[in-house]
């Protein structure tokens, strides 16, 4: 019996890992990958900056999340049905986006990019709900939770908002959440275009730094940050990491002023024999 539960736990962990990868992949495609594509196509920086707003559905996905939790799809059920539907729709929109030239049809491209972000955010809603259901399923109370969610309809969302804003300092804390990574978000909104167009790095160089080196540094930083948070406490960690985040954005200024000569070894040029 113990071995069976362990195998089920490993199976669920593998499924959640794969779903998390699928969830993050589409977000990256509408972020730095799309930014690099637009830059290579010669789209203006103003347009690229405006198209960085296509990720807004991720911010407002809580508005339609209750609808996805309220209604069941036929045959496959609520979680599985919405997951299959969003993934199939996301695959179709991605194929349409890949076949659209941003230089020739920028409006259609923008609409398809928003559709990708919307379907990806909807997929996130289902994946988050599935992860939430796993402990309940293990305890055998999932049918009761599903019935309660259907009966609640939008009361869960409205009640949660009312409960939050009734607490002392709720508005100030919400402002803190919005502003905490605002500078980092603005600095990164045109980072790929800055490296490709202004600093003249190649697409391969930017890709290796962002998707290989940056990935492992992000994982390592998350693990280190979690360990430090347990040692320093939540509030002190937020303050320290906020200051470090602020200082890290100065790297863009340093790179713009110093150029990429400091970041790349000089290439060998054979002597011509002429002084």
């Amino acid at each position: 019996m113990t071995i069976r539960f362990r195998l089920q736990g490993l199976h669920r962990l593998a499924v959640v890992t794969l779903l998390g990868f699928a969830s993050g992949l589409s977000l990256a495609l509408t972020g730095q990958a799309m930014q690099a594509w637009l830059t290579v196509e010669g789209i203006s920086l103003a347009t690229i900056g405006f198209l960085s707003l296509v990720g807004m559905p991720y911010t407002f996905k809580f508005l339609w999340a209750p609808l996805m939790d309220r209604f069941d799809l036929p045959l496959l059920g609520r979680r599985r049905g919405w997951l299959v539907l969003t993934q199939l729709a996301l695959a179709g929109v991605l194929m349409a986006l890949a076949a659209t030239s941003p230089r020739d049809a920028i409006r259609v491209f923008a609409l398809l990019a928003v559709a990708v972000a919307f379907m990806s955010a909807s997929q996130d809603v289902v994946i988050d709900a599935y992860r939430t259901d796993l402990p309940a399923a293990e305890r055998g109370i999932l049918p009761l939770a599903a019935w309660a969610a259907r009966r609640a309809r939008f009361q869960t969302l409205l009640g949660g908002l009312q409960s939050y804003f009734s607490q002392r300092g709720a508005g100030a804390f919400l402002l803190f959440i919005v502003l905490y990574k605002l500078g980092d978000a603005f600095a990164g909104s045109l980072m790929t275009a800055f490296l490709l167009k202004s600093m003249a790095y190649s697409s391969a160089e930017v890709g290796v730094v962002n998707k290989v080196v940056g990935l492992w540094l992000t994982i390592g930083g998350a693990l280190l940050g979690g360990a430090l948070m347990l040692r320093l406490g939540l509030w002190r960690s937020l303050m320290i990491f906020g200051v470090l985040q602020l200082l890290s954005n100065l790297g863009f200024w340093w790179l713009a002023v110093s150029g990429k000569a400091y970041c790349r070894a000089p290439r060998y040029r054979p002597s011509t024999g002429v002084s």
Side-chain angles (χ1 to χ4, degrees), residues 92-113:
V93 178
L94 282 173
M95 291 178 63
L97 182 66
T100 304
S101 171
R103 185 183 301 176
D104 300 330
I106 188 62
R107 293 184 179 179
V108 176
F109 184 90
L111 290 175
L112 289 173

Side-chain angles (χ1 to χ4, degrees), residues 193-201 255-261 264:
F194 166 71
L195 295 175
L196 290 173
K197 182 173 290 188
S198 300
M199 304 310 302
Y201 283 106
L255 189 59
V257 173
S258 303
K260 63 181 181 180
R264 175 187 291 170

